[in-house]
Amino acid sequence: MKTIKSIVVAICAVLLVSSCGVSSNLTSNANLNQTNVVLSQNNFKVVKTVSTKVSATYVFGIGGLSKKALKTNAVAELTKKANLTGSQALVNVTVKQSGFTIIGIYTKCIFVAEGTVIEFHE
């Protein structure tokens, strides 16, 4: 009976200190498609803004991909969705992380990548 009380107290303590959501804005440019572009001249136009979303689900902390892999997948999907041609470039890439947890059992981690496609005309 004493061990059941200890387990219940431990579960309650974990539930009290766990959060209901996570939000983080990751603006580092740590992807493999780094390009140095000088935008001080008026020789480009903004073509479009693109965004993608990738997610992973965890049950009791097991399953899905690591956060680093999810971030990499989000940027890769963004690059694929941008469908760059000719003299176009993807700039201002940001990756936002969000997620939610239900009673410490079920967790869904979501990464949203956004970027701007520009095209040089000179």
Side-chain angles (χ1 to χ4, degrees):
M1 191 68 163
K2 190 174 186 181
T3 57
I4 294 174
K5 286 182 182 179
S6 298
I7 292 172
V8 170
V9 169
I11 290 173
C12 289
V14 168
L15 292 175
L16 287 174
V17 297
S18 66
S19 66
C20 294
V22 177
S23 178
S24 175
N25 192 8
L26 308 171
T27 58
S28 65
N29 190 11
N31 52 36
L32 296 176
N33 56 353
Q34 294 180 5
T35 305
N36 292 327
V37 179
V38 178
L39 300 177
S40 60
Q41 300 174 359
N42 193 13
N43 62 345
F44 68 93
K45 67 177 181 175
V46 175
V47 177
K48 61 184 173 182
T49 301
V50 290
S51 67
T52 59
K53 182 189 295 187
V54 296
S55 63
T57 303
Y58 307 93
V59 178
F60 293 111
I62 300 171
L65 299 171
S66 68
K67 289 182 180 180
K68 184 176 181 181
L70 281 173
K71 179 182 174 188
T72 303
N73 286 351
V75 173
E77 289 294 320
L78 181 71
T79 304
K80 188 186 305 181
K81 188 174 180 180
N83 198 17
L84 301 176
T85 59
S87 61
Q88 293 180 340
L90 188 59
V91 297
N92 298 334
V93 176
T94 59
V95 180
K96 298 175 188 169
Q97 175 191 353
S98 64
F100 60 87
T101 302
I102 300 175
I103 312 174
I105 298 171
Y106 176 85
T107 303
K108 186 166 187 176
C109 187
I110 302 167
F111 279 82
V112 177
E114 297 175 329
T116 305
V117 177
I118 61 170
E119 184 173 26
F120 293 96
H121 50 79
E122 282 184 13

